[in-house]
Amino acid sequence: MNIQIFGVKKCFDTKKAERYFKERKINYQLIDLTIKGLSKGELQSVSAAVGVNNLINREAKDYKKLNMDRIVSANLREEMLLKHPSLYKTPIVRNGRQATVGYAPDIWQTWE
């Protein structure tokens, strides 16, 4: 397994995801979205697995400020996510072509 966790250090669910993989002695790579966001290729791979709308945190401070509720084009939404990593719902956990958004241990178990 090649696990990548995209999240924010302050996010409680990101910490829970890290603990999940640590407890099972599964190696993972943590990518802090405040420092480095998803690349365009990573975003396309994840959005193909879960859908671009599921990646957007509608509770984020920047959601209303950037008028995300008015953007309907998937391409435009992807561009906004690339420019503003604060819009991501976290954690985004990726295993190759498979991905989840949020804390989803029941799905991660099937990856083992």
Side-chain angles (χ1 to χ4, degrees):
M1 269 194 295
N2 186 17
I3 303 293
Q4 290 179 307
I5 301 173
F6 297 91
V8 182
K9 292 230 187 261
K10 293 179 182 178
C11 171
F12 185 67
D13 282 343
T14 299
K15 289 178 186 176
K16 283 182 7 185
E18 273 191 274
R19 190 175 20 205
Y20 175 88
F21 291 107
K22 262 185 201 165
E23 288 172 352
R24 285 153 184 80
K25 294 178 175 50
I26 298 170
N27 290 336
Y28 64 89
Q29 177 187 13
L30 177 68
I31 295 99
D32 192 337
L33 290 171
T34 56
I35 298 168
K36 181 182 183 279
L38 272 75
S39 70
K40 189 169 183 134
E42 289 167 334
L43 176 60
Q44 288 173 342
S45 171
V46 171
S47 64
V50 298
V52 72
N53 289 332
N54 293 326
L55 292 171
I56 299 169
N57 181 1
R58 286 165 178 70
E59 307 298 316
K61 293 176 186 173
D62 290 342
Y63 184 79
K64 280 276 194 214
K65 198 187 315 181
L66 295 169
N67 293 320
M68 286 297 288
D69 51 339
R70 297 197 177 125
I71 298 173
V72 290
S73 163
N75 289 339
L76 252 160
R77 283 179 166 243
E78 278 186 15
E79 279 183 44
M80 292 300 281
L81 283 169
L82 288 169
K83 290 178 187 168
H84 305 280
S86 62
L87 291 170
Y88 286 112
K89 192 183 294 183
T90 57
I92 299 167
V93 180
R94 191 174 103 156
N95 178 24
R97 294 189 182 275
Q98 299 172 309
T100 61
V101 178
Y103 184 69
D106 45 328
I107 296 171
W108 303 334
Q109 281 178 343
T110 63
W111 294 353
E112 295 175 19

